Amino acid sequence: MDTDYLIRLERADEQREVENLIRESFWNVYRPGCSEHYVIHVLRNDPAFVKELNFVMEKDGTLIGQNMFMKTVIEADNGEVIPVLTMGPICITPELKRKGYGKKLLDYSLMKATEMGFGAVLFEGNIGFYGKSGFTYSSNFGIRYHDLPEDADASFFLCRELIPGYLNGITGVYQTPAGYYVKNDEVEEFDSQFPPKEKLKLPGQLFDE
Ligand SMILES: CC(C)(COP(=O)(O)OP(=O)(O)OC[C@H]1O[C@@H](n2cnc3c(N)ncnc32)[C@H](O)[C@@H]1OP(=O)(O)O)[C@@H](O)C(=O)NCCC(=O)NCCS
């Protein structure tokens, strides 16, 4: 396991292949179909995109995973604007899920983000996976998710400091970078460039469409 994969930066000539990998990995997981392959397509050209942290994972010459980061901020209650990272999409090809590759990719990416000097990473995710890599609920740091009512369940919203103590004394509101909000009709048009795939409504999905 330790030596049967390679993590490296995404190359320009494999962007479509990566988008197809993301599409295969996210398809019907959170909604019928998915939008994440279009999200990365858009975000690569966003000024907040961190190109030094745009990773793919390769095994036996085939792409099996990817992860990427964006710069964003916490609007602190004391008026400060705290630079942080957000992350994703991250994926592992469906055939190789739950074999430990996702954790290896995540931990490597976080190490590289730490080396670059970033202070904290916040995003929406499942504590079952991310908790094993040092994430906890953002509420434990006093960081709130934008536009979420105070009494709403925020257990989807996770945080990890990369610099210990980076968020000490800070409370405030995290902002999702605007680039993540893609329009459904643009997703549909983009998706039509890929091989046809059936959208299914499945139990456990978070969204209807
Ligand atoms: C989420 C994803 C990247 C995880 O990668 P992976 O290689 O499957 O995960 P790993 O094998 O490294 O998991 C390590 C541990 O995290 C936990 N874990 C992994 N996926 C989990 C999930 N969906 N729910 C709860 N816990 C999970 C497990 O404890 C797992 O160990 P175990 O299999 O021994 O129990 C991958 O499953 C994927 O691409 N999913 C579809 C796309 C997606 O949901 N991306 C994340 C969006 S936030």
Side-chain angles (χ1 to χ4, degrees):
M1 168 80 204
D2 272 343
T3 53
D4 73 346
Y5 66 88
L6 170 74
I7 301 172
R8 59 169 175 80
L9 292 174
E10 181 190 55
R11 293 192 306 256
D13 65 358
E14 65 192 0
Q15 290 182 349
R16 186 47 62 101
E17 198 186 334
V18 169
E19 288 159 8
N20 196 53
L21 171 70
I22 295 174
R23 182 179 186 248
E24 292 293 329
S25 306
F26 277 86
W27 195 260
N28 291 333
V29 173
Y30 296 103
R31 67 179 76 230
C34 69
S35 60
E36 284 79 0
H37 52 319
Y38 182 58
V39 168
I40 192 174
H41 184 77
V42 172
L43 291 186
R44 282 197 200 93
N45 298 316
D46 192 299
F49 183 73
V50 187
K51 61 179 188 324
E52 299 87 349
L53 297 175
N54 180 24
F55 293 114
V56 294
M57 191 176 213
E58 193 183 302
K59 176 173 155 59
D60 304 329
T62 304
L63 292 182
I64 64 158
Q66 64 64 234
N67 190 21
M68 55 149 285
F69 292 80
M70 294 276 288
K71 292 178 196 167
T72 187
V73 296
I74 293 167
E75 290 169 359
D77 296 327
N78 66 5
E80 282 183 62
V81 176
I82 311 293
V84 293
L85 285 176
T86 190
M87 201 192 84
I90 175 173
C91 76
I92 294 295
T93 188
E95 312 85 74
L96 292 177
K97 272 183 197 167
R98 300 303 284 261
K99 294 187 185 303
Y101 291 107
K103 183 168 181 346
K104 296 272 185 199
L105 176 59
L106 175 63
D107 290 347
Y108 178 87
S109 319
L110 293 169
M111 181 185 77
K112 289 293 173 189
T114 307
E115 283 175 13
M116 284 182 74
F118 290 105
V121 187
L122 299 93
F123 55 80
E124 307 87 342
N126 184 328
I127 193 72
F129 176 55
Y130 297 105
K132 303 217 152 133
S133 291
F135 283 84
T136 181
Y137 303 116
S138 297
S139 55
N140 291 338
F141 288 93
I143 310 300
R144 308 180 299 280
Y145 193 76
H146 56 88
D147 302 327
L148 196 68
E150 241 170 61
D151 55 349
D153 176 15
S155 60
F156 65 89
F157 179 39
L158 309 180
C159 177
R160 185 185 137 172
E161 287 183 330
L162 300 179
I163 300 173
Y166 185 72
L167 298 175
N168 277 2
I170 299 293
T171 60
V173 177
Y174 158 87
Q175 294 297 342
T176 299
Y180 278 98
Y181 297 103
V182 292
K183 296 199 176 79
N184 281 348
D185 54 337
E186 289 177 13
V187 175
E188 290 304 318
E189 196 186 326
F190 181 70
D191 192 67
S192 68
Q193 301 168 22
F194 291 78
K197 249 177 125 55
E198 193 183 359
K199 286 186 184 178
L200 296 173
K201 278 189 196 256
L202 297 175
Q205 288 173 341
L206 300 174
F207 308 104
D208 293 336
E209 57 174 327

